[in-house]
Every structure is written in structure tokens, then in C-alpha cells.
Amino acid sequence: MKKIAFACTGEDIYSLIPVINLLKYKTNIKPIICYPGNIFISEQKYASLEKYKRIANCGEILPKNILDGIDILDCDFLYKSAPDLLVFTAPFFINKNRLTREKLKHLGIQTAYFPYATEFLGAGYDQWIVNLPHVHDVDILFASSPLAVDNYKKNSKYFINSLYCVGNPELDILFNNKFRDGTSYWELKKFTNEHFCFLYAPHWSIDKEPFWSSWLTLSPVLYKFFKERPALRLILRPHPLMLSCTAEMTIELRLQVYRRLEELLSLPNIFLDKSASSLTAIALSDCLISDCSSIIQKYWPTCKPIIVSEVDYGLANHIVRLCLEMFSDPDELPAAMLSYAYGDDSRKKLRQKYSLLFAGPFDGKCAQRMANLLSSHVLEKE
């Protein structure tokens, strides 16, 4: 039986669970999840295989035990029982385990790379995605959107053997309302309770390059805003790395980060979302506030308002400025928030117009496209 291994870091395991299940139930291919090592989910570091299994199967977002019957193994199995194809979502896994192209070829393992919703970012991310050896050496490269395809074609110095635009399979869960099967849905549903709800998702880079995080500048603005408006709601969802990175900060900065967090959570209309996936928060919020995070690309297909701080979005800069509310001064944020809370959304038609180009197809069939391409690629090699 042909085998395909999936190496997923952080919450991107949810982007591939729909693909894994299609392969399991609709093909004769055996999918395997390859535990990548140290991964970050919420503020916790899950550094053991058993904890990784519990996170994947906990039922927060998808039905409990959805991965029953699928092996979750550490990377040693690559050497003992090599899969036909290895799908990875971040270079971390390849680098950590020193899986060079030559070593993978020797083991007879082909590779497929699915960059996890970061393809639209500028300020170095275009190059991080496009010119890594892992990209130009892979047998299959999956792009999430037509804009991502343009990124690869315009920037890549290398010939890419197989480039396919499939969308983001994680968004199938959102499209099909499958997030309602998880336990986190009802907790958040009770909190929002039909009130207008914002979602704030700051980047992790408070004191590290690329220094995109708006946490220290926006948190006091948000505290004042929501303290004065108890009828509005805020779901707080920092990047999974943000709180983990505090261990490497100076004591003074670490205390400042946590004081701001405690201050916000002292308000009853602010909720800290610690679930493993952002899908429920995306579904139950009415407007996103962020800086430069992959959640922007996942939020866009909902066509709900998005407010972002002014950073470099690479090739997407002109589209972002047209479709999203941008601010450079934190004091501009409250007016923009109130405008959307009162129903004034003049950019909605533009977001709808550019959604496919920017975020990729949102049709519930992304996982099927990826599963079909993976299975046909593996079977063609017989």
C-alpha cells in the first residue's frame, strides 16, 4: 500500500486533517501523521508525541477522535518504513531533522510543500517562501491562491516542477460549518451572545524581527475602548508564538506583555481564545483586527471587515490598501472600529471582488483538490 506522511507544525495540522481523512476513506493510500518535534499551540509548548496526539484528537474544532485509525509517529519512522511522499507545511520540520534533498532521495521519499497561509506577506516573507531550497527542490508545490502563484512565478529563481493552486483545505471546515462540531464553538458562542464581536490577533514579533506585533501599542487602546463600551465584545487570540517567546524576553518586557494581557482580561467583555485552531474565532467574530498574520488570509473569504496596521504586504500591497482598513496611528483605531460596529462597511464589495485572487477558492473543495493531486502523483509513480 502506498503511504503519504504529513508533517504539520502548530495549528496547521487542521489545514491538512480534511485531506488526511479523504485519503483514509476514499483511496487505497495510507496517510500517516509525522510528529514534527517541538510545536507551539497557544502559549504552551507541546514537546511530546503523546501530547501532540491529544491536541490533534481533542475535539475542540473537529469531532473528537477524528484521527482514530491514523498513525501518528515520530520522524524515526521515515528511516524504518519510508513513505512514498512527505507533505510538510513549514521548513522547521525539514531543518530540525536534517532531511536534506539527498537524504530524502536516498530513502526514496518525494516531497510536497504546502506553505501555511503566509504566501501574501512582504518584508522578507516572499523570499522566505520562494527561494528556500525546500521549495525549488520539492516534487509538488501547493499554492493557496492565484496571488501566491504569481509570487512564485515572479520571484522564483528556480524551476518548480509541479505548482498547483488548491486553496486552503482548513477553510473547508469553515465553509461546511464543521467547526460547530467542536467544543470551543459553544464556549465562544455563549460569550459573543449576538453582540458585535471583534477578533484581535497580534503577530508574535514583539522584540524580534520583523517587529510586526502591535501588541504593546494597541492593547492599551483596546482596553480603554472596551471598558467604555461593555455591549461590544472582543476575542483575543495572539499568535501562538507570542506568549511562548516571552521566555526569551527581558524580565521588564515580559512583565509588560503579561500586565497588558491581565488588564484586558479583567474586562468581562474580553475573552482569551486558547483553542488550537482559529476557525471558531473567525466564524463567531464580526471584524478582525491584526497586523501582519496569516489569519488575515483565512479571514478574508468571510468578507467580514478587516482592520490592519500599516506594514509591507509585498505583491498584495495595492489590494490590501483597497480592500482592508489600514491605520498607522493607534489613535485611529477606535473610529474605524465604531464605524464597522455601526454597520458602515464601504469596502465589502472590494473584499468580495478580490477574495479569490488574494485568499484562494472558498468552495469547500480545497481538500478534495489536494487529495486528488497527491494520490494521482503517488499512483503515477508505480
Side-chain angles (χ1 to χ4, degrees), residues 24-25 30-31 57 65-72:
K24 176 184 174 183
Y25 294 110
K30 179 179 176 63
N57 253 350
N65 300 321
I66 193 170
L67 295 179
D68 280 359
I70 294 176
D71 292 335
I72 303 180

Side-chain angles (χ1 to χ4, degrees), residues 340-355:
Y340 287 122
Y342 292 142
D344 182 9
D345 186 3
S346 60
R347 300 173 189 260
K348 184 172 183 177
K349 288 184 179 179
L350 281 169
R351 287 196 305 276
Q352 291 171 330
K353 178 180 178 180
Y354 288 106
S355 178

Side-chain angles (χ1 to χ4, degrees), residues 27-296:
T27 73
N28 291 322
I29 294 170
K30 179 179 176 63
I32 299 166
I33 293 178
C34 188
Y35 166 61
N38 294 341
I39 61 169
F40 295 91
I41 299 178
S42 188
E43 78 276 18
Q44 300 294 321
K45 181 188 287 187
Y46 295 93
S48 76
L49 179 59
E50 289 308 311
K51 285 186 177 180
Y52 184 69
K53 289 179 181 179
R54 289 199 294 273
I55 287 298
N57 253 350
C58 70
E60 274 188 340
I61 305 299
L62 294 166
K64 194 171 179 65
N65 300 321
I66 193 170
L67 295 179
D68 280 359
I70 294 176
D71 292 335
I72 303 180
L73 308 171
D74 62 34
C75 70
D76 288 346
F77 96 95
L78 294 174
Y79 301 94
K80 299 171 185 175
S81 178
D84 299 277
L85 182 66
L86 173 65
V87 183
F88 63 99
T89 56
F92 167 85
F93 175 79
I94 301 294
N95 293 338
K96 178 180 181 294
N97 294 293
R98 297 182 175 86
L99 294 172
T100 62
R101 179 65 168 167
E102 292 72 24
K103 188 179 291 187
L104 290 165
K105 277 185 175 179
H106 178 72
L107 293 168
I109 302 174
Q110 297 190 77
T111 51
Y113 184 27
F114 176 57
Y116 181 57
T118 54
E119 297 159 305
F120 71 97
L121 301 177
Y125 268 56
D126 287 337
Q127 297 304 311
W128 183 83
I129 291 291
V130 171
N131 289 325
L132 279 177
H134 316 98
V135 174
H136 64 77
D137 274 347
V138 295
D139 298 284
I140 303 175
L141 176 61
F142 292 113
S144 60
S145 68
L147 183 66
V149 171
D150 287 346
N151 264 343
Y152 292 123
K153 289 181 176 178
K154 289 177 181 177
N155 292 323
S156 181
K157 301 174 183 176
Y158 308 95
F159 175 72
I160 297 169
N161 294 322
S162 301
L163 172 60
Y164 302 100
C165 181
V166 294
N168 187 340
E170 183 178 14
L171 292 180
D172 290 355
I173 301 169
L174 196 63
F175 182 88
N176 296 316
N177 289 323
K178 289 295 184 182
F179 59 88
R180 294 181 181 177
D181 296 334
T183 56
S184 66
Y185 170 77
W186 298 107
E187 187 178 18
L188 266 183
K189 181 73 173 173
K190 182 179 179 181
F191 167 73
T192 56
N193 195 26
E194 308 304 325
H195 292 268
F196 193 94
C197 183
F198 293 89
L199 168 60
Y200 176 44
H203 196 259
W204 57 267
S205 55
I206 293 175
D207 65 335
K208 291 182 173 62
E209 290 187 355
F211 302 105
W212 283 336
S213 182
S214 56
W215 175 251
L216 293 180
T217 54
L218 290 194
S219 51
V221 175
L222 292 171
Y223 174 77
K224 183 174 185 293
F225 182 90
F226 285 97
K227 185 176 182 181
E228 294 172 353
R229 298 167 180 86
L232 297 178
R233 299 288 184 269
L234 174 67
I235 299 170
L236 180 60
R237 188 179 174 84
H239 188 287
L241 279 176
M242 192 186 92
L243 297 179
S244 298
C245 286
T246 57
E248 300 170 18
M249 294 177 182
T250 64
I251 293 175
E252 183 180 353
L253 181 57
R254 189 188 316 161
L255 289 173
Q256 189 179 6
V257 169
Y258 278 101
R259 282 191 192 114
R260 297 280 172 83
L261 178 62
E262 289 174 4
E263 186 177 54
L264 285 170
L265 295 181
S266 69
L267 299 178
N269 53 339
I270 296 180
F271 179 90
L272 179 62
D273 178 25
K274 294 184 178 182
S275 61
S277 169
S278 58
L279 290 180
T280 303
I282 290 172
L284 291 177
S285 59
D286 300 293
C287 177
L288 172 67
I289 304 166
S290 191
D291 27 53
C292 200
S293 173
S294 59
I295 198 172
I296 298 169

